Structures are given as structure tokens and as C-alpha cells.
Amino acid sequence: QVQLVESGGGLVQAGGSLRLSCAASGRTFRRTIRGWFRQAPGKEREFVAHIPWSGGTTYYTDYVKGRLTISREYAKNTVYLQMNSLKPEDTAVYYCAADCSGDCRRSEAYTYWGQGTQVTVSS
């Protein structure tokens, strides 16, 4: 059974940093893309970043470029999202996703999802 487990969320002041982790079990996802999305209260889930598990170019949505960095650690089957210079508008539940087919900026393209981790940025 495939399972994605996020961790690392919390409360941080504006300008601070957090690192989110997404550990996968049950499957390695060697030839796929893994991504991060977020959903703020009252808003739709939106794309943040994705990374090819086997190597290649990472992709970010414009409003996080230069502040958020996605990376992977093969030995732990884990994807990370390093978040720096956080802003109050980054407040959301952050979800990791795996096994993309199609447009990997769309949530519908992913098969597996984690339960989410809350990130709250205070002003």
C-alpha cells in the first residue's frame, strides 16, 4: 500500500523558514514526478513545485520562485520543500503528491496524496 506522509509544518513569523518533508512508503516512484501543492482556507488547491524523481529539471510556480526549493533524497524516498522568506500569504495546508500523468501542474494528474501539513505564517 502506497503512503505519503508529510511533516515539518508549523507556525513561523514572516521572513522565517520551514522545511517540509514527504516520505513515501510502499513504492519508490522511480520514473515519475513528485510535487507539492497547497490549499489556503476558502481557496482551491494550487500547484507549488514538482521534481522528477529520476533527475531533471524542477519546476516552480511564479510566486514561489527564489523562496522555495524542492529537492529529493533517494535513500529515504523523500521529497523536501525548503521554504525561506515566508510571507503571510504562504499560509496554507501543504500537500505532497506522487505519480503524475499529464500536466504535473494540475492536481488531477497525480495518483497519490499525503494527508497535508499546516503552515501558518504570522505577520
Side-chain angles (χ1 to χ4, degrees):
Q1 182 177 355
V2 175
Q3 191 173 20
L4 301 178
V5 179
E6 300 102 333
S7 61
L11 173 64
V12 64
Q13 289 188 332
S17 298
L18 286 172
R19 188 178 80 155
L20 306 183
S21 301
C22 174
S25 61
R27 184 177 160 184
T28 306
F29 301 106
R30 286 195 176 88
R31 293 191 181 90
T32 187
I33 285 174
R34 291 172 65 171
W36 285 96
F37 288 74
R38 68 187 186 186
Q39 187 166 16
K43 295 186 177 182
E44 293 186 354
R45 191 170 298 188
E46 61 182 10
F47 169 75
V48 175
H50 66 59
I51 186 168
W53 185 249
S54 59
T57 304
T58 56
Y59 189 86
Y60 300 89
T61 193
D62 287 344
Y63 46 80
V64 304
K65 285 181 180 178
R67 299 190 299 118
L68 275 58
T69 304
I70 190 170
S71 62
R72 61 191 178 278
E73 185 172 356
Y74 294 118
K76 295 185 177 181
N77 203 2
T78 297
V79 172
Y80 302 98
L81 186 67
Q82 177 66 44
M83 303 191 296
N84 299 327
S85 301
L86 283 164
K87 305 175 181 180
E89 50 264 43
D90 293 317
T91 295
V93 177
Y94 283 71
Y95 297 91
C96 69
D99 198 13
C100 173
S101 178
D103 185 348
C104 295
R105 296 166 297 176
R106 296 178 60 84
S107 60
E108 296 82 0
Y110 292 83
T111 302
Y112 302 103
W113 289 87
Q115 81 289 349
T117 185
Q118 177 71 47
V119 171
T120 303
V121 184
S122 63
S123 56

